[in-house]
Structure formats: structure tokens, C-alpha cells
Amino acid sequence: MARRRYSESSKRIITLIIGLCELILETFVYGWFWFKRYYPELSSVRISQDGYVLGNGIKYTMNGHIVVLLIYFMLLFFFSRTYGGLRVGYDKPLDVFLSQIFTLLIVNLISYFQLSLMRNWLVSVGPIVRVLFYELVLSFIWTYVVDYLYKRFIQMPRELLLISGDHPTDDIERKFGSRPDRFHITKRLNITSDMDILKKECLSKDYGGVIIWDIPTQKRNELVKFCYAHSIRMYIMPKITDVLVRGSDQLHLFDTPILLLREYSIKIEQRIIKRFIDIVCSLILIVLSSPVMLITAICVHLYDRGPVFYKQVRCTVGQKPFKIIKFRSMRQDAEKDGVARLASKNDSRITPIGNFIRAVRIDELPQLFNILKGEMSFIGPRPERPEIIEQYMEEMPEFAYRMKVKAGLAGYAQVYGKYNTTPYDKLKLDLFYIQNYSVWLDIKLMLLTAKILFTPDATEGIDENQITAMKKQSQENEN
């Protein structure tokens, strides 16, 4: 039986309704414990042995109960949107479930302290733990069942036409091919074909969109205008200039639209707030993670009696060198030949202890001290080694642009890319961050960083035949 093809608007509405239904069910679980456990606890008045008043004896009308549940629902909605927990059917079910895990952890932690403030003392932990458990079970079942039903009855792979330039398309085809539930490349054409033939093919009803990939700017602009005029969906590979222009300001000085692309500099008030967040968060995390760091240091040293820390020269803002601190995860002679290498898949240089601490990112914890000293920030482009920067800049001088801001423990490229994402793609991701910087973006990336710790793709190594992260490919035509 042929499935009905839903419009994009219909699918978005269905996805939103599905997500809201899940949040309503999770709010219902919280509401059940609110009425059965927490409200009776808050409405009673007791005196502790220390003389503290436990409970305010508050009495809520129905409107008061609605406000409490509405606050919980809004928190769920906000963090679900931030982490991507509402994207059932669009993202992989594991990614959606991981997003819901972090959403529920944060929301229930906030709600627990909210209830404790209402009581003037800590409320019972047991009920909120059970709320979290029931919500996680509900979320797991809901996510996987709805994802199956969505792909079975609603989602159909979008048939795509790929128009490419001179360079190989294996990488982008592999990426689109990783989501067979959403995309299927039906036909491939080269930009060297006659433009009229390309335009005629774009108009075919056989395709639900066109991938415009790695072609010269002049021809790309012609195709983009044509597809836009005929309401054809496009997936476009942005060039570095596209990323820079995207972060420009629109001016209305005359009767002609003008885009202002400033000489880059974070505003003074943004720098103050960013540095304040770095200092406060690094101090808190150093204290909280100190037991983990102590145990890790002991394990690293006992394995081969070598040094605990690994210090390496990296570059931060203005290509200024500094020594980054990490827990040592490789053998002591990992780079005895003096050649700078990034970790590859199944790298024999990594110790068993190193494999574990790299997988859960414990090896990065000592960088909290780099942040506290002001050499790094929590969010920013990852710092590279000077010799690797030189290699990158030989093929793409624009790599220097990412050093207009302070290097970071995590960044846009780490959240939305992978460890083995090509340097050119990482550069564009970092430039997206630089050109669209805001304090809120920093906060959002800090929240999302916790999620990628549990995403396997994020720690995937580079290919074994790579000396650095640079892939054996030519940089696309920027003309």
C-alpha cells in the first residue's frame, strides 16, 4: 500500500504535536507526585529539631496548582528545544532519547530546588527520583515507538538530485546516505553539463530537492536563483565568504540594503560576562571533579609509572602559544619520531587507561586550569598545535580566522561536528560561532556539550592513513 506523502508543513505540525504530547505526559507524571507527595508536604507545618519551620502551610487554589505544573511544562519545553528532544522522526531515536535524558535531569533538578525553596527546607528526594525514573521509561518507549510509526506511516525518503563540481562527492554522499530514512540521492549531475539541461532536470517532479555541492560561485548563484524562483528546495554547501556574510549586520542608511561586515571584535561587555562565566564555572567544576581527577591521576601513573599530565604547545587568540594540560592517554614515546599526529581509529599508541578517559572525556579535565588562568575559554574553537596550523594554512589560509577569539574547551565544531570532521568543515563551523557570537550562544553550547559526551560519533578517530586531521582532498573552488 502506497503511503501518503505529507507536505513539509504537515510533518512539522505532526512532529510538534508528538513532542507536546510527550511533554504533557511527563508533566502528568510530575503532577501525580505533586498532588500525592509534595503538595501535602508543603501544606503541612512542622518544626525541625533545630527549630526550622518545615513547610509553609501553603494552600493552593486550582489556579496555583496550574501555575506549578505550567512552570514544569515550560521548563521541559525550553530544554527540549535546546537539546533537540522534540525532533522525533527527524533525528536518530538515540539522539532524541539522549536529549530527553539531559532535559529531564536538568528540569527535575531545578524543580527539586524550587520545591525546597517553597518549603524553606529540602524536600524528600525519593519522589523526584521516581518522577525521573518513570519519565525516562516513558520517554524511551515513546521515542522509539513514535519514531517507528513516524517512519512507517509519515516519513518518506526525500529523492534528491546532486549537482557537483570537480571534486569527488564520496564524502557528502556518505553523509546523506547515513540517513536513508530521510534522504535518497536519485541522480548525479556535474556542473560541466549544459546549464539548460541542469535547470530542466531541477524542475523534474522526480525530486524533492537539489543538492548544490562544491561548484563555482557564478554558476552556483545562477542555479540558486533559478531554484528559488521555482520554489525548489536546496541543500547548499556554504563557502567561507557565505559564513562571514551570514554574520553581518543589516543597515538602513539609504534606500539600498547594505550589509556591514565589521572587523571582528567581541564587545567589551560580552568579554566581561564571558570571562566571569569562565572563572565561576571553572572553579565550581574543579571542586566537583577533584575526586575524579585524583583517581585518574593515580591510575595513569600506576599503569606505566610515567607522568600523569601531558603538556603540549597550542595556539589561542592571535595565534598566541600556550601549554595545554591534559591527562596523558598515550604511551610516553607516542611521538618519538617528532611528527605531530592526531589520534586515529584503533590507535596503538593509546593505553587502556587512555582509551577509557578519552571515551568519557576525563582527559580534558585539567584544561579547567587553563581556563582559570585565562589561556582558554569554556567555549571557542579548539586550540591546535602550531605545526598543524602551518599545514592547514598551506591549503587554506582562512584557517587563521578561527584564532580571532580565545580557544575553547568545547566549541561549535565539537557540538555539531565530529572528531574526524574535515578541517575545512570545522573551520566553517567555528566561523559560524565567531560571526554569530552571543553570551546566550555560549550558554547553549555549554548545555549541548554535556550531550555529546555520550554521542559515539563525536569521539570517532580519523583514518589511519592521515598524519593530521587533514583529509586528502582539494579545497573547493572559492571563486
Side-chain angles (χ1 to χ4, degrees):
M1 182 180 67
R3 283 187 289 173
R4 173 187 172 187
R5 182 175 289 276
Y6 289 83
S7 67
E8 193 64 26
S9 298
S10 298
K11 287 192 289 186
R12 286 185 177 274
I13 292 173
I14 292 171
T15 302
L16 178 61
I17 292 174
I18 289 172
L20 292 178
C21 287
E22 181 181 5
L23 300 187
I24 290 172
L25 289 175
E26 291 169 349
T27 304
F28 178 82
V29 173
Y30 176 79
W32 178 268
F33 281 87
W34 161 256
F35 284 110
K36 293 295 183 181
R37 293 298 305 272
Y38 282 126
Y39 180 61
E41 189 172 343
L42 294 173
S43 60
S44 63
V45 178
R46 293 185 294 110
I47 307 298
S48 70
Q49 295 179 350
D50 299 326
Y52 288 100
V53 178
L54 305 180
N56 293 328
I58 56 177
K59 301 294 181 182
Y60 282 163
T61 63
M62 182 54 66
N63 289 338
H65 295 302
I66 291 175
V67 169
V68 170
L69 298 182
L70 186 60
I71 290 173
Y72 189 84
F73 178 84
M74 294 304 294
L75 286 172
L76 283 176
F77 182 78
F78 171 78
F79 285 102
S80 293
R81 284 292 302 271
T82 300
Y83 280 119
L86 299 178
R87 294 179 58 84
V88 177
Y90 280 85
D91 291 343
K92 296 177 182 178
L94 177 60
D95 290 339
V96 176
F97 180 58
L98 285 174
S99 300
Q100 277 292 314
I101 289 177
F102 286 104
T103 294
L104 295 172
L105 283 172
I106 293 173
V107 170
N108 283 299
L109 183 63
I110 293 174
S111 298
Y112 176 77
F113 287 110
Q114 174 196 357
L115 294 169
S116 297
L117 287 173
M118 294 166 65
R119 189 192 181 213
N120 289 331
W121 197 252
L122 296 177
V123 295
S124 304
V125 177
I128 203 70
V129 172
R130 289 198 291 275
V131 168
L132 177 61
F133 174 76
Y134 292 140
E135 287 177 337
L136 288 175
V137 173
L138 171 65
S139 176
F140 179 83
I141 297 173
W142 181 273
T143 298
Y144 279 87
V145 171
V146 171
D147 182 80
Y148 170 78
L149 295 175
Y150 187 91
K151 292 173 181 176
R152 177 71 175 83
F153 297 105
I154 298 175
Q155 180 80 303
M156 294 179 65
R158 186 178 293 276
E159 305 294 336
L160 300 175
L161 168 66
L162 171 61
I163 301 177
S164 62
D166 296 332
H167 304 300
T169 61
D170 296 347
D171 187 53
I172 190 58
E173 289 195 50
R174 177 180 55 80
K175 290 177 179 178
F176 274 88
S178 67
R179 292 301 307 272
D181 57 310
R182 293 195 61 189
F183 306 110
H184 178 243
I185 298 177
T186 307
K187 190 171 183 178
R188 299 153 184 82
L189 292 176
N190 195 275
I191 194 61
T192 55
S193 302
D194 184 79
M195 185 60 71
D196 291 333
I197 294 177
L198 293 176
K199 291 179 179 179
K200 183 179 179 180
E201 196 68 32
C202 290
L203 291 173
S204 173
K205 299 297 183 182
D206 295 336
Y207 313 117
V210 178
I211 304 174
I212 301 177
W213 210 254
D214 185 22
I215 64 178
T217 303
Q218 185 175 359
K219 292 186 176 181
R220 186 192 69 168
N221 291 348
E222 184 177 352
L223 270 179
V224 168
K225 291 176 184 178
F226 177 83
C227 291
Y228 183 80
H230 292 85
S231 300
I232 299 172
R233 174 182 290 248
M234 294 169 279
Y235 300 86
I236 304 173
M237 180 182 189
K239 300 181 185 295
I240 288 179
T241 49
D242 299 325
V243 178
L244 297 178
V245 171
R246 188 171 184 262
S248 61
D249 296 326
Q250 185 175 348
L251 300 183
H252 298 282
L253 299 177
F254 318 107
D255 57 354
T256 299
I258 296 177
L259 298 178
L260 172 62
L261 193 58
R262 303 176 186 272
E263 60 285 6
Y264 186 79
S265 177
I266 298 180
K267 298 175 183 177
I268 180 64
E269 62 272 20
Q270 292 176 327
R271 292 203 299 270
I272 293 173
I273 297 174
K274 187 177 178 70
R275 182 61 185 145
F276 176 77
I277 293 175
D278 286 343
I279 293 173
V280 172
C281 290
S282 61
L283 284 172
I284 292 174
L285 288 178
I286 286 172
V287 172
L288 293 178
S289 64
S290 55
V292 176
M293 287 197 281
L294 178 60
I295 294 172
T296 302
I298 294 172
C299 292
V300 170
H301 178 69
L302 290 180
Y303 177 76
D304 58 5
R305 303 294 176 178
V308 170
F309 297 111
Y310 176 65
K311 295 183 179 181
Q312 190 180 73
V313 176
R314 301 284 182 97
C315 291
T316 184
V317 60
Q319 210 167 338
K320 180 181 178 182
F322 74 101
K323 285 190 176 181
I324 198 171
I325 309 171
K326 302 175 72 172
F327 282 119
R328 183 172 58 85
S329 60
M330 293 189 176
R331 302 192 313 263
Q332 299 181 59
D333 60 349
E335 291 185 354
K336 60 183 179 181
D337 57 0
V339 178
R341 295 183 180 87
L342 296 180
S344 62
K345 297 177 183 178
N346 305 315
D347 198 320
S348 61
R349 300 174 299 160
I350 303 176
T351 65
I353 300 295
N355 269 319
F356 174 76
I357 64 175
R358 288 171 72 93
V360 295
R361 306 296 179 89
I362 292 176
D363 63 320
E364 309 280 359
L365 286 177
Q367 292 172 54
L368 293 171
F369 294 99
N370 290 118
I371 295 173
L372 189 61
K373 291 168 61 178
E375 297 167 330
M376 293 174 58
S377 179
F378 263 102
I379 302 298
R382 283 295 293 162
E384 290 285 3
R385 301 171 67 170
E387 53 269 39
I388 291 180
I389 291 175
E390 290 179 5
Q391 294 179 43
Y392 290 162
M393 291 182 65
E394 287 179 3
E395 293 196 33
M396 47 180 182
E398 301 91 347
F399 195 80
Y401 299 169
R402 68 194 296 277
M403 288 174 283
K404 287 181 174 289
V405 296
K406 192 179 292 185
L409 178 63
Y412 203 95
Q414 282 65 49
V415 171
Y416 295 104
K418 303 178 184 178
Y419 183 80
N420 63 348
T421 298
T422 62
Y424 189 74
D425 286 336
K426 281 187 178 181
L427 172 60
K428 286 187 285 188
L429 289 171
D430 285 329
L431 289 177
F432 268 118
Y433 167 76
I434 292 171
Q435 290 300 115
N436 297 277
Y437 176 79
S438 68
V439 174
W440 163 241
L441 180 58
D442 264 5
I443 295 173
K444 179 181 178 180
L445 292 174
M446 289 174 72
L447 292 173
L448 289 171
T449 298
K451 175 184 170 183
I452 68 170
L453 296 179
F454 298 90
T455 305
D457 288 349
T459 57
E460 183 181 349
I462 63 175
D463 293 337
E464 292 179 357
N465 62 343
Q466 292 175 224
I467 300 300
T468 70
M470 184 73 75
K471 284 198 171 184
K472 302 300 183 181
Q473 64 178 24
S474 300
Q475 182 181 352
E476 64 255 29
N477 191 343
E478 283 285 342
N479 298 320

